[in-house]
Amino acid sequence: MTRNYLLVALRGLRRQPGYTALNVGGLALGIACCLLIAFYVRHEWSHDRFHEHADRLYRMTYENRQGEDLPPAAPDEFQAWSSGAVAPLLEADFPEVEHAVRLSGRHTMLFTRGDEAFQEERYFFADPEFFEVFTFPLLQGDPATALVEPTSVVLAESAARRYFGDDALAANQVLGQALQLGSGDDIDPLVVTGVMADVPATSHLDFDILLPMSLFENAMRANDRAFVFDSWNYVDFFTYVLLDENASGEAFQAKMPAFVERHHGEAMVEYPQSFTIWWEPLTAAYFSPTGGFAAGPRGNSTYLYLFGFVGLFILLIACVNFMNLATARATKRAKEVGVRKSIGATRSSLVRQFLAEALLLTTAAAILGVVLAESLLPFFQDLAGKEIAGGVLTSLPMAGTLVTGTILVGLLAGSYPAAVLSAFRPASVLKGAFATSRRGQALRKGLVVGQFTIAIVLIVGTLIVGQQLRYLQSETLGFDDQQLIVDFGHDEVVTENVDAVKQALAALPVVERVSATRSVPGGFFPNAGTSVEDAQGAMRGMDFGLFEVDDTFLAQLDVEVAAGRLFSPDFETDAEEALILNEAATRALGYADPAEVVGKPFDQWGRSGTVVGIVQDFHHESLHHEVRPLSFRVSPWLGQLVLQVDAARAEEAVALVEAAWATLAPHRPFLYRFLDDAFDAQYRAVEQFGALFGTFAALAIVVACLGLFGLAAYAAQQRTKEIGVRKVLGAGVPGLVGLLARDFVRLVLIGTVLAAPLAYLAMDRWLDAFAYRIDIGVGVFLLAGGLALAIALLTVGGHALRAATTDPVKALRYE
């Protein structure tokens, strides 16, 4: 009997290829979209879960605040990086801490091998226990000793291949090979002590070179920078702990206030402040809202939920299409049901027949959807900028969900014709007494409204994301961003001759000015524990962002001076005793007038002196954040040259600077970027989100219109005789087209009205993530509704025009 049901279903579907293609194709496209989003969500949620001890691993975040009776800190006020002094104390104080590991890095460093030079950013200094804490398997070498000696280095496969080639890697000849950190004959070489598998794409730690922490510490102490490792207010490390199997994360967290008081209490008394340590599970680090520098890629859980809803919405639209077309087609089969019942078919057999047909269609759509999803995965990876794994059939939860969903959609789509048509009386139907019920018409109209409501919400979302992105990229930043940045990564050779290098580059015809800095707007900068005399005359300790610069950098960026002066070569004391703050810092110190801060004493990272100037606030971070307190001081620890060039001759400037660089620093590769591009790179995640959102919004419209196309064809067919009569009575083509399209236009308009408040609430909440944002105007809703209406008219217009231009004689002979 089952075989008979399937054969009858196949014959019926073959007789109506257009209906079959619309129904199967629309549902398959919806399933494919949902699967692609499911791949993305699965990829994002799986971050850091591959570690063997992931359930016992925690990352330290901290928050340092000044004053009394302060409200609780917001999540983004905690910093993801911390002091290097804390980890050894944790291991000493708490037996439940099996290991505490620090990582530091993310600044560019020069590695050389023979005549080849490589400027690397994907590296970390790490404590020796790194491989006992994290599951990054070594393919060669001993994980227990790989990072013990200060002259050791561990390479990922990709880095080993880059330095030593495929043959050496394949022959296990990389261990024991030498690399040099920096350039010059007086630098001790590093010895490769391990080769590890490349870091998985689902790790929030992003690196392919590991160096021993002892190498970093020895260098800092030898250069009178012991505070880097000893000060609680120097934050340039990421700290992780592995707790004992029997330890509780909550109990460990509860011990932190006493720990802070024990080791940092005197400093908090001297400069009134609060220092809070918070431990977040490693599996939460990727989506952490904490501020500060990141150890690798960061995710956005809000985007994840939005994409999850988008995927479900598109699948819902596809399912609505499927059920709409199934119910519309079912009304054409009333006479078939009458004939079947008159020759003995039972109601239960008819129910099984309709359900079998629906299940056959949904199964075909599911198979086609899986094929489409796997085929489109490379395009989707490019769009998302991520290496996302597919494999529906290799994932038991995903395969089970797909099978269950296919069966449910098939049963739902087949339930209406099965329940309604199987109850018809044969005599009435065969006499032509059957007519489409108002309930069925209302159901189909309601489903169309729901489809377009969802589609218009997605269109509005796409338009608002685009508007916000354009706003971010066009907003006035408060500094001159037409600068060319050349990275030299704290190179001692360049640093020792930096004045001569600057003079040589400034002499080029396309270069107007040259300065040097450790940080640029939109890039890395550390936080520095800073004490300044506040408005009450007391020294107040705060964490200020710090830009270490030369004495011409601020003038070159053309920042506005609010009070005092900028650094100047004319003041010799600026190199050791001067500090400049921005207006946000003066407000944090309690001053209403920035001029009152000029001349106040400060203490910062072992340097004391006076505040010599205040600059107006400018955007040194993305517009996700309000302008935060920032300080500037002159320093020799610089790693980037900033060249002011003629924007109209940018290509020529790059070529001339590159040629000069080959003479000035032949031992280093020439790496450059433009400041405006570097700043806009902070919005890459927003761009990718907008691209994905727009793509899925377009697909939602396509899926909705497939259903509308089928329903328009059905409506035109149902009214064939009516159209013939109207034409005989003198109705014109425009009037008939309007008659047929009017109902669908009304449904789209209702969908627009319903979508407006939903879209506003969703996108207003999304925009709350930006400190500087656009206002949502009524125009975006009118545009989205207009687009949806235009697309709907194009979809139904063809059917309406074809029906309106049909020969009335043929129309009256219909059936």
Side-chain angles (χ1 to χ4, degrees):
M1 187 62 70
T2 302
R3 179 175 176 273
N4 180 62
Y5 291 150
L6 292 175
L7 285 174
V8 172
L10 285 171
R11 289 175 189 148
L13 296 174
R14 192 167 56 246
R15 284 196 302 268
Q16 293 184 305
Y19 161 81
T20 303
L22 276 177
N23 230 4
V24 173
L27 184 57
L29 187 57
I31 290 172
C33 291
C34 195
L35 285 175
L36 288 172
I37 291 177
F39 293 156
Y40 177 83
V41 171
R42 180 183 65 182
H43 173 273
E44 295 292 278
W45 277 123
S46 66
H47 269 76
D48 297 307
R49 300 181 189 275
F50 61 87
H51 294 289
E52 181 182 353
H53 306 305
D55 60 327
R56 297 192 281 130
L57 274 169
Y58 294 84
R59 182 176 74 168
M60 175 181 163
T61 65
Y62 90 101
E63 180 265 342
N64 191 7
R65 313 188 86 192
Q66 288 70 43
E68 299 177 357
D69 301 323
L70 294 171
D76 63 351
E77 291 182 287
F78 280 79
Q79 299 293 312
W81 48 351
S82 54
S83 163
V86 175
L89 298 173
L90 291 168
E91 284 192 335
D93 281 21
F94 301 107
E96 63 264 42
V97 175
E98 287 190 10
H99 297 294
V101 169
R102 299 164 298 179
L103 302 177
S104 185
R106 313 304 290 173
H107 325 292
T108 58
M109 294 184 69
L110 182 70
F111 289 77
T112 57
R113 180 172 181 266
D115 295 332
E116 294 183 287
F118 303 85
Q119 192 150 301
E120 302 284 3
E121 186 177 18
R122 289 168 47 86
Y123 74 91
F124 284 121
F125 291 101
D127 284 314
E129 300 83 6
F130 178 85
F131 291 108
E132 297 181 53
V133 172
F134 298 103
T135 308
F136 294 111
L138 279 187
L139 306 177
Q140 302 174 36
D142 183 356
T145 60
L147 292 171
V148 171
E149 296 298 325
T151 56
S152 58
V153 60
V154 175
L155 304 177
E157 276 187 288
S158 56
R161 188 174 292 110
R162 185 164 66 248
Y163 283 99
F164 302 104
D166 292 329
D167 293 341
L169 183 62
N172 293 334
Q173 295 176 350
V174 175
L175 288 186
Q177 296 278 2
L179 285 179
Q180 191 167 322
L181 185 59
S183 61
D185 298 330
D186 57 342
I187 299 176
D188 294 331
L190 303 175
V191 178
V192 178
T193 54
V195 177
M196 56 174 279
D198 283 338
V199 174
T202 53
S203 170
H204 87 282
L205 295 175
D206 184 23
F207 66 95
D208 50 30
I209 298 176
L210 286 176
L211 298 164
M213 187 63 71
S214 56
L215 174 63
F216 183 29
E217 184 167 6
N218 292 346
M220 291 299 99
R221 295 192 184 281
N223 285 281
D224 296 325
R225 292 173 67 86
F227 65 87
V228 170
F229 280 82
D230 297 339
S231 171
W232 277 55
N233 290 323
Y234 185 94
V235 287
D236 201 11
F237 298 83
F238 302 99
T239 303
Y240 300 82
V241 297
L242 175 64
L243 296 184
D244 181 82
E245 289 182 353
N246 300 317
S248 162
E250 291 79 7
F252 181 60
Q253 177 65 55
K255 298 177 181 179
M256 288 302 104
F259 171 76
V260 172
E261 178 63 30
R262 189 159 57 247
H263 294 286
H264 195 53
E266 291 184 9
M268 292 191 296
V269 171
E270 184 178 359
Y271 301 117
Q273 59 184 288
S274 66
F275 195 102
T276 304
I277 292 177
W278 184 262
W279 294 100
E280 60 184 9
L282 180 72
T283 52
Y286 178 66
F287 291 112
S288 175
T290 52
F293 204 49
R298 302 180 75 161
N300 188 312
S301 58
T302 301
Y303 290 177
L304 213 57
Y305 288 118
L306 281 173
F307 282 132
F309 283 124
V310 167
L312 291 175
F313 285 158
I314 292 176
L315 184 60
L316 178 61
I317 290 174
C319 292
V320 165
N321 272 352
F322 188 87
M323 290 184 282
N324 243 345
L325 292 174
T327 55
R329 179 176 175 268
T331 58
K332 295 184 62 180
R333 302 180 65 182
K335 288 187 177 181
E336 175 193 339
V337 172
V339 171
R340 285 178 176 275
K341 296 190 78 170
S342 67
I343 59 177
T346 63
R347 183 173 185 180
S348 61
S349 68
L350 289 170
V351 168
R352 287 194 293 272
Q353 176 66 52
F354 283 114
L355 290 178
E357 290 183 14
L359 286 170
L360 182 64
L361 281 173
T362 54
T363 301
I367 294 171
L368 181 57
V370 171
V371 173
L372 275 174
E374 297 289 351
S375 301
L376 293 172
L377 187 58
F379 166 77
F380 183 67
Q381 288 175 327
D382 290 341
L383 201 62
K386 299 177 183 289
E387 297 178 13
I388 301 170
V392 178
L393 302 180
T394 59
S395 170
L396 186 59
M398 195 170 288
T401 302
L402 179 64
V403 171
T404 304
T406 300
I407 294 172
L408 285 175
V409 172
L411 292 176
L412 285 172
S415 60
Y416 176 82
V420 176
L421 296 185
S422 62
F424 290 159
R425 294 180 179 178
S428 300
V429 173
L430 293 174
K431 289 178 181 178
F434 170 75
T436 303
S437 70
R438 290 185 178 181
R439 184 179 298 176
Q441 291 178 354
L443 174 64
R444 287 191 290 277
K445 289 179 179 179
L447 293 176
V448 169
V449 169
Q451 282 182 313
F452 274 89
T453 298
I454 295 171
I456 292 167
V457 167
L458 296 179
I459 293 175
V460 170
T462 301
L463 294 174
I464 289 176
V465 170
Q467 288 181 355
Q468 176 65 12
L469 182 59
R470 288 191 294 274
Y471 170 77
L472 294 175
Q473 294 173 334
S474 62
E475 176 69 359
T476 300
L477 300 175
F479 63 90
D480 181 3
D481 62 354
Q482 298 301 307
Q483 312 280 341
L484 175 66
I485 306 166
V486 179
D487 199 320
F488 64 90
H490 304 286
D491 185 283
E492 291 185 9
V493 176
V494 178
T495 301
E496 291 174 359
N497 300 280
V498 69
D499 289 335
V501 172
K502 288 164 57 177
Q503 289 175 8
L505 293 177
L508 297 175
V510 292
V511 176
E512 298 172 4
R513 288 194 288 184
V514 182
S515 63
T517 181
R518 185 186 181 192
S519 307
V520 294
F524 163 83
F525 63 91
N527 283 347
T530 308
S531 299
V532 181
E533 184 179 308
D534 64 15
Q536 286 72 44
M539 294 296 289
R540 180 185 296 189
M542 306 188 75
D543 266 349
F544 287 164
L546 173 62
F547 273 40
E548 294 181 286
V549 300
D550 70 2
D551 51 19
T552 62
F553 175 77
L554 289 173
Q556 183 172 319
L557 253 61
D558 199 23
V559 297
E560 296 291 333
V561 179
R565 63 176 177 84
L566 298 180
F567 299 126
S568 170
D570 298 333
F571 294 87
E572 294 182 0
T573 56
D574 281 2
E576 295 292 340
E577 301 175 5
L579 192 73
I580 291 177
L581 302 176
N582 68 350
E583 291 175 307
T586 66
R587 290 192 296 271
L589 290 166
Y591 290 97
D593 182 1
E596 297 177 14
V597 190
V598 177
K600 298 296 184 183
F602 79 88
D603 183 82
Q604 183 188 68
W605 280 359
R607 178 181 293 187
S608 300
T610 57
V611 177
V612 300
I614 309 297
V615 296
Q616 291 184 7
D617 288 338
F618 64 89
H619 293 288
H620 59 280
E621 296 179 283
S622 78
L623 273 69
H624 285 85
H625 310 287
E626 292 184 355
V627 177
R628 307 189 202 193
L630 189 63
S631 61
F632 305 86
R633 76 183 199 183
V634 176
S635 171
W637 285 77
L638 309 176
Q640 299 172 96
L641 293 170
V642 182
L643 289 69
Q644 190 172 48
V645 300
D646 184 350
R649 303 170 64 187
E651 291 186 10
E652 182 184 357
V654 170
L656 289 174
V657 173
E658 183 174 13
W661 188 257
T663 301
L664 296 168
H667 61 289
R668 295 197 66 88
F670 175 68
L671 297 180
Y672 75 93
R673 64 194 188 280
F674 284 95
L675 182 53
D676 56 347
D677 292 336
F679 198 91
D680 287 346
Q682 298 177 106
Y683 307 126
R684 190 166 292 120
V686 180
E687 289 185 63
Q688 290 173 340
F689 172 71
L692 286 171
F693 207 84
T695 299
F696 287 119
L699 289 173
I701 285 290
V702 169
V703 174
C705 287
L706 285 175
L708 198 61
F709 185 86
L711 286 177
Y714 167 73
Q717 196 175 47
Q718 288 289 97
R719 303 180 73 172
T720 300
K721 282 190 177 180
E722 177 191 348
I723 291 169
V725 171
R726 287 179 178 273
K727 289 195 73 174
V728 169
L729 296 176
V733 171
L736 292 173
V737 171
L739 176 70
L740 292 172
R742 184 174 55 200
D743 288 342
F744 294 105
V745 170
R746 186 182 298 118
L747 298 179
V748 174
L749 290 175
I750 294 172
T752 302
V753 172
L754 294 177
L758 296 175
Y760 179 85
L761 291 173
M763 298 314 298
D764 186 64
R765 183 168 182 179
W766 177 76
L767 288 169
D768 283 342
F770 299 89
Y772 304 90
R773 46 165 286 183
I774 61 168
D775 294 321
I776 302 176
V778 68
V780 71
F781 299 103
L782 296 177
L783 179 57
L787 285 172
L789 184 60
I791 293 169
L793 285 173
L794 288 173
T795 303
V796 303
H799 287 299
L801 185 61
R802 189 179 304 111
T805 55
T806 301
D807 186 345
V809 175
K810 292 181 179 179
L812 294 174
R813 287 177 178 173
Y814 182 69
E815 293 186 341

